[in-house]
């Protein structure tokens, strides 16, 4: 089974591409979804995060306050690294498990939706890599609307990632997402056709 990495910049439209792939019946493993699962109430991941960052990262109901934790780590590389050291091994284990399931089911290829593919030097783990791009203005507008972040918080998050131009240079395929959802769907389906035919 071919293992295809799917990445891009923050709010570039990577999640939209994942949804299109899923709706068309393609297997997708979502790193962010796994990251949320490993810190659910009662899971060892949440206990370790609380030990490292304090009870202030918890909501009154005992679940993780992701926005509060984000504010604590995104502007501080050492704190972000501390969080990643806690969660990354758990995410890797669950990813390997899901990948094996898809391989055992006989899929020709599967996608791994992972924001920090290049930042974490994961390129060699994949047979091919798709990078989803959009302009920085669009990224900022989407983050402001989706995450209700300040301009300063948006800048911190953009700076925490490798510039999109460098990711594009390392991509097998690039999907531009600067138009409508219908246009993105068409671009994704054209690329899938090329991948399946071996012409991409």
């Amino acid at each position: 089974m071919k293992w295809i990495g799917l990445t891009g910049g923050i709010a570039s439209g990577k999640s939209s591409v994942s949804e299109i792939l899923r709706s068309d019946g393609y297997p997708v493993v979502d790193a962010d979804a796994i990251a949320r699962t490993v810190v659910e109430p009662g899971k060892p991941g949440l206990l370790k995060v609380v030990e490292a960052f304090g009870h202030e990262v918890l909501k009154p109901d005992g679940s993780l306050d992701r926005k509060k934790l984000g504010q604590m780590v995104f502007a501080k590389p050492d704190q972000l690294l501390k969080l990643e050291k806690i969660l990354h091994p758990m995410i890797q284990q669950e990813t390997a498990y899901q990948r094996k399931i898809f391989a055992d089911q006989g899929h020709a290829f599967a996608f791994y939706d992972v924001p920090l593919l290049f930042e974490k030097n994961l390129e060699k783990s994949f047979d091919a890599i798709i990078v989803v791009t959009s302009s920085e203005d669009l990224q900022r507008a989407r983050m402001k609307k989706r995450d209700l972040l300040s301009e300063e918080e948006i800048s911190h998050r953009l700076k925490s990632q490798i510039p999109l131009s460098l990711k594009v240079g390392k991509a097998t395929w690039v999907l531009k997402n600067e138009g409508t959802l219908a246009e993105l769907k068409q671009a994704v389906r054209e690329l899938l056709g090329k991948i399946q035919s071996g012409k991409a």
Side-chain angles (χ1 to χ4, degrees):
M1 182 184 77
K2 281 194 173 181
W3 186 230
I4 300 174
L6 174 62
T7 193
I10 297 174
S12 63
K14 178 179 54 61
S15 297
S16 296
V17 173
S18 284
E19 287 170 18
I20 293 165
L21 291 169
R22 280 198 196 88
S23 69
D24 284 0
Y26 295 95
V28 180
V29 179
D30 185 333
D32 280 346
I34 293 172
R36 287 191 291 272
T37 300
V38 301
V39 290
E40 287 175 348
K43 294 282 183 73
L46 181 60
L47 296 175
K48 290 184 178 180
V49 169
V50 172
E51 284 175 12
F53 295 96
H55 283 83
E56 59 263 36
V57 299
L58 292 177
K59 293 180 179 178
D61 65 1
S63 64
L64 182 65
D65 188 332
R66 295 175 66 83
K67 186 166 186 181
K68 176 77 173 177
L69 181 61
Q71 289 169 342
M72 292 173 71
V73 303
F74 273 110
K76 300 172 184 173
D78 60 322
Q79 294 299 298
L80 185 58
L81 185 62
K82 183 163 76 170
L83 177 64
E84 288 169 353
K85 281 184 176 177
I86 294 169
L87 299 182
H88 197 61
M90 299 176 195
I91 294 169
Q92 278 187 313
Q93 185 177 10
E94 180 61 24
T95 298
Y97 172 70
Q98 292 190 23
R99 179 181 176 182
K100 184 177 185 303
I101 289 174
F102 288 137
D104 290 347
Q105 289 171 344
H107 289 282
F109 48 86
F111 299 88
Y112 186 36
D113 178 343
V114 54
L116 301 178
L117 189 157
F118 294 113
E119 286 81 356
K120 298 302 162 194
N121 299 309
L122 301 177
E123 300 99 305
K124 292 179 182 176
S125 305
F126 299 98
D127 299 300
I129 296 169
I130 298 170
V131 172
V132 185
T133 70
S134 66
S135 69
E136 185 174 318
D137 285 346
L138 272 174
Q139 287 178 275
R140 286 180 173 276
R142 288 171 185 153
M143 272 191 276
K144 204 166 190 174
K145 182 178 179 182
R146 182 188 71 188
D147 302 323
L148 305 176
L149 297 174
S150 69
E151 289 295 336
E152 186 181 8
E153 288 172 319
I154 289 169
S155 293
H156 281 312
R157 295 195 181 201
L158 286 170
K159 286 175 184 172
S160 74
Q161 293 195 349
I162 291 172
L164 261 176
S165 58
L166 295 180
K167 294 183 180 185
V168 165
K170 297 181 177 184
T172 313
W173 306 296
V174 176
L175 280 170
K176 290 184 179 178
N177 178 31
E178 299 193 347
T180 64
L181 182 58
E183 288 170 334
L184 182 62
K185 284 181 180 177
Q186 183 179 350
V188 170
R189 287 166 184 165
E190 285 176 1
L191 177 56
L192 284 168
K194 291 176 183 177
I195 293 172
Q196 286 176 317
S197 67
K199 294 177 181 177

